[in-house]
Amino acid sequence: MRDAQLDPKLSQTAFSVSAPSLDFCPPECGPEVGFCGRSNAGKSSALNTLTGQKNLARVSKTPGRTQLINFFEVPETGGFLVDLPGYGYAKVPEAMKRQWQHHLGTFLTKRRTLTGLVLLMDVRHPMTDLDQQMLTLADHREIDTLLLLTKNDKLSRNQAANSRHSVQKKRPQSLVLNFSSLDRTGLVEASSWVRQRLEGQ
Ligand SMILES: Nc1nc2c(ncn2[C@@H]2O[C@H](COP(=O)(O)OP(=O)(O)O)[C@@H](O)[C@H]2O)c(=O)[nH]1
Ligand SMILES: [Mg+2]
């Protein structure tokens, strides 16, 4: 039976290719929606939830592992979801951290086909300095941003609403959604935002 909450096009998403840096990315050939956030923010889980696939993006209990730029094709849209390296993982050596952040920054500034950016932040710790830096880079190029406050299930309804309001106040220009890969809060709204960016609306 079809899952009514899942977007039928996003559910056809398939892994395409991984690249260690912008230079190795595939040719710019369709609209791309990037997913970024601190490592452990719930990025891989969100990608799996949005596409209705258990193992599309690897969910790791050990944060800081995803260092590649991973491209996933969304067939009927001609577009791609792009899983970007997680940042801010404390246990990674400083030089390596800087290198990943450099790759991420280069991608956000130079990738012309990037039409949307989903910033994932733990609902309990949103808008860190690095998160704000990502938004600044997106704003420079007028890339649309969606802010997903992940792990919504970890807070009470009240606390979650307060967190969303305070983030929304700081980012009046972005859609801010509470999101949970566990209970699928925000799934329909987030899917629709992503799908619209892929279809150039
Ligand atoms: N309770 C809860 N845990 C989550 C949720 N999303 C992710 N997690 C957990 O958070 C950890 C990091 O998730 P992952 O998706 O690998 O984060 P990533 O490093 O940003 O890709 C894992 O242990 C997940 O099971 C959520 O919505 N609710
Ligand atoms: Mg991950």
Side-chain angles (χ1 to χ4, degrees):
M1 204 177 69
R2 198 171 90 72
D3 182 333
Q5 286 187 308
L6 277 184
D7 181 284
K9 287 192 183 170
L10 291 186
S11 66
Q12 291 177 41
T13 304
F15 175 74
S16 171
V17 67
S18 292
S21 70
L22 183 70
D23 291 342
F24 296 91
C25 285
E28 295 168 313
C29 74
E32 293 167 353
V33 174
F35 287 73
C36 72
R38 291 178 66 86
S39 62
N40 211 38
K43 190 157 50 72
S44 300
S45 306
L47 275 163
N48 290 344
T49 303
L50 286 164
T51 57
Q53 298 182 32
K54 283 203 178 85
N55 297 309
L56 187 74
R58 208 168 50 137
V59 177
S60 168
K61 292 233 180 265
T62 317
R65 287 241 183 101
T66 319
Q67 300 136 39
L68 295 169
I69 302 171
N70 299 307
F71 290 80
F72 301 93
E73 189 179 1
V74 190
E76 281 175 39
T77 66
F80 296 83
L81 307 181
V82 187
D83 185 10
L84 296 163
Y87 45 81
Y89 181 48
K91 287 186 189 162
V92 168
E94 199 55 41
M96 200 182 263
K97 234 190 255 179
R98 271 199 303 273
Q99 198 187 19
W100 296 352
Q101 274 155 32
H102 172 73
H103 287 323
L104 185 53
T106 311
F107 186 89
L108 292 183
T109 17
K110 304 237 166 98
R111 186 79 178 168
R112 283 170 304 185
T113 33
L114 187 68
T115 59
L117 183 69
V118 182
L119 173 61
L120 297 102
M121 303 181 285
D122 188 315
V123 68
R124 297 163 297 177
H125 321 284
M127 299 297 250
T128 65
D129 285 351
L130 285 169
D131 294 328
Q132 314 230 30
Q133 285 178 34
M134 298 304 126
L135 292 173
T136 305
L137 292 177
D139 290 347
H140 275 311
R141 295 184 44 203
E142 296 180 19
I143 291 171
D144 281 333
T145 48
L146 166 65
L147 276 50
L148 282 191
L149 304 178
T150 59
K151 310 191 189 182
N152 187 67
D153 55 276
K154 298 263 192 189
L155 291 183
S156 72
R157 203 175 277 255
N158 245 333
Q159 290 170 317
N162 287 341
S163 172
R164 196 187 74 79
H165 286 139
S166 75
V167 173
Q168 186 74 77
K169 233 182 188 169
K170 290 186 191 153
R171 277 301 288 185
Q173 68 271 54
S174 297
L175 176 60
V176 182
L177 295 173
N178 292 100
F179 189 85
S180 166
S181 288
L182 210 73
D183 64 19
R184 311 216 288 179
T185 301
L187 173 58
V188 172
E189 296 86 345
S191 305
S192 139
W193 189 94
V194 170
R195 167 90 177 263
Q196 282 169 30
R197 294 292 134 346
L198 289 177
E199 296 189 326
Q201 293 163 27

